[in-house]
Every structure is written in C-alpha cells, then in structure tokens.
Amino acid sequence: MAKNFIIANWKMSLGHEQTLDLVDQIVQQIQPSDKTEIVVCPSFISLVAVAPKIANSGIKLGAQDCFWHDEGAFTGEVSPLNLKEIGCDYVIVGHSERRGYLNETDAMVRQKVKAALENNLVPIICVGETLEQRQSSSKDFIIMQQVNKALAGIELTAQNQLIIAYEPVWVIGSGQAVEPSEAEHTTQVIRQVLLDYFPLEVINKRIHLLYGGSVNPLNIREFLSQPTIVGALVGGASLEAKIFWQLIKALE
Ligand code: PGA
C-alpha cells in the first residue's frame, strides 16, 4: 500500500524555543509507522537544531522554501545543497503565502523544483486558486497552468520523488476546508496534467498528491480516503503536539 503523508508547515508561527519544545513533545508522543511519513517544516533558523532531535525518530525534516542555486552571491537566500547537508529531505516550494507576499512566480517555482530535485530533496509544490479565480470559474485552468509551469522541462531521476499539494488559497488558515470530493476533483485534474510529463508507473510510485487548507483531526480521514489524495499539508493543526497526534491517529 502507498504511504500516507502528513506534512507540518509551521510557517513563521513559532519562536525557536517553542519549535524545539514542540519537536520534543512530538518525538515523545508520535511513532511514525510504515504507513505514514511524517514531515516537519520549521522555519530556517530552527532547522539545524531540530535535525538531531528527530534523527532517530523516523520523522523527516523539511524546509519551507529554498533558492534555485546551490551557492553564490545571493544575499539572504538559502541553498538547497545546504538544506540537504543539514538533514532536510523535503522542501516546500511555491506556497501561496510566498506567491502572494513575495511575488514568487511560476518561473521561480519551476527553478526551485529543479534545484530541489538535483539535490535529492523532495519538492512539495503548492498550487491553488484564490477566491477571485474560483468565483470566475477558472479554478481548474489556474491549477493546470501552475502545474504545467512548475514542471516544464523537469525530469525525474530514479531517486527523485515529487509531491504536489492542492491548497485552495482562500481556505488556508480559515478553519473551513473545501469538500473532500472537490479536492479530489482537483487532484484528478493535476494527475491528468502529470500524464503529459511522466509515465504512469512514475506517477503511481513517485509522485504524491496532497490536500492542504484547514485540515484537522475531524476531516483528515475523509480527505485521505479519496482515491488520489495520499496526504495532507497541515498548518494550524500541526502547531500543538496533541492535535498533531490526533491527526495521525485519525488515519489508523
Ligand atoms: P492551514 O495551512 O492548515 O492552517 O490551513 C495550510 C498551509 O498553508 O499549508
């Protein structure tokens, strides 16, 4: 059976000490199983300190962003090579908050995806429509365009994996997720686009489709019981060890 993914995106919500406390609690309470891959994505400043804390726990480390070059004169940016070096296996790319607040474009997202894959990081590509785009009935088109632009010319080696998270921008942090059946429709649209790029076997084995946006312990099961959704990218509900634990329990 394919693995489920629960990926915690802690955004800029916690201080460094709070992050370390949360990691300690999570490591004590949560035993990842063969069934579920658990990934925590603290802010950059906490990555180095979190890595040894989770080293023998089975929990994986992810960053919230990366740059598209491995080294050089790029003030303030963070190298995917260095992320790998300190123990990251995953990196979130193109989150709507970066697209929105920092004008991150599809072209930048594509370069980051490429750089992440070259460093054997699993890119977690976020795609999603705004409320305005949804109301103008262009949701599926927007999603297809984002996926196409993120993947143009991208090749996967035998080691590479890829995650695409469908995150409707307007439900992130709202407490109100979309209907699981609607998320499933969108992940099927994404899967359709993937067929233009990769063989079916690669899609089935190495590309994982997630939903994100107000996932909580009460709704996670229904999302993950949809045919093409194998995981959740979780913000708010991953900030307390007890609730995070409930998310994982809900899948058992
Ligand atoms: P949320 O955030 O779970 O708080 O809605 C999800 C995300 O932004 O990835």
Side-chain angles (χ1 to χ4, degrees):
M1 216 184 92
K3 255 194 179 185
N4 290 322
F5 291 82
I6 298 186
I7 301 180
N9 175 10
W10 292 340
K11 311 191 180 189
M12 209 179 71
S13 305
L14 301 170
H16 179 60
E17 292 302 329
Q18 285 176 311
T19 302
L20 299 186
D21 280 352
L22 177 58
V23 170
D24 285 340
Q25 289 176 49
I26 288 174
V27 169
Q28 275 168 22
Q29 290 181 25
I30 292 172
Q31 271 120 37
S33 64
D34 290 346
K35 233 183 93 195
T36 310
E37 175 95 330
I38 298 169
V39 183
V40 294
C41 305
S43 66
F44 283 132
I45 56 157
S46 300
L47 286 170
V48 171
V50 169
K53 285 185 178 284
I54 61 171
N56 299 313
S57 70
I59 296 169
K60 301 286 170 59
L61 190 62
Q64 297 176 17
D65 182 37
C66 69
F67 194 53
W68 54 79
H69 286 298
D70 287 351
E71 53 158 80
F74 305 106
T75 303
E77 289 300 328
V78 176
S79 149
L81 176 70
N82 295 165
L83 290 176
K84 190 72 192 181
E85 187 188 347
I86 61 153
C88 287
D89 287 310
Y90 293 82
V91 59
I92 297 172
V93 173
H95 191 281
S96 59
E97 285 148 15
R98 297 198 60 84
R99 292 180 192 256
Y101 295 120
L102 292 148
N103 291 331
E104 199 159 292
T105 63
D106 288 321
M108 292 176 182
V109 171
R110 186 193 157 278
Q111 292 190 80
K112 292 180 179 195
V113 170
K114 189 164 179 287
L117 290 169
E118 282 168 2
N119 284 288
N120 264 323
L121 291 161
V122 181
I124 303 159
I125 309 170
C126 299
V127 297
E129 83 287 1
T130 62
L131 186 59
E132 209 178 23
Q133 289 164 337
R134 177 190 178 79
Q135 284 167 343
S136 65
S137 302
S138 52
K139 182 193 82 180
D140 287 0
F141 173 73
I142 295 291
I143 302 297
M144 288 163 81
Q145 203 173 42
Q146 287 176 349
V147 176
N148 269 311
K149 290 191 174 171
L151 295 181
I154 297 287
E155 285 176 20
L156 298 185
T157 66
Q159 282 79 47
N160 284 155
Q161 293 193 53
L162 191 69
I163 289 178
I164 301 182
Y166 168 54
E167 296 208 306
V169 178
W170 51 286
V171 302
I172 291 176
S174 72
Q176 183 62 55
V178 297
E179 284 299 318
S181 56
E182 193 186 332
E184 169 66 16
H185 164 83
T186 312
T187 46
Q188 286 195 17
V189 169
I190 295 171
R191 198 178 146 83
Q192 206 58 41
V193 177
L194 291 173
L195 286 165
D196 290 338
Y197 291 89
F198 308 106
L200 190 59
E201 201 201 333
V202 170
I203 297 173
N204 288 341
K205 290 212 176 118
R206 293 195 277 127
I207 304 185
H208 317 287
L209 301 183
L210 274 49
Y211 167 77
S214 296
V215 170
N216 62 44
L218 297 177
N219 64 21
I220 190 166
R221 203 185 162 98
E222 210 184 329
F223 281 107
L224 271 77
S225 50
Q226 303 297 317
T228 62
I229 300 175
V230 298
L233 180 55
V234 188
S238 69
L239 291 169
E240 266 182 58
K242 202 172 108 206
I243 302 175
F244 196 37
W245 181 79
Q246 288 168 1
L247 283 170
I248 293 154
K249 275 281 163 209
L251 298 180
E252 285 171 4

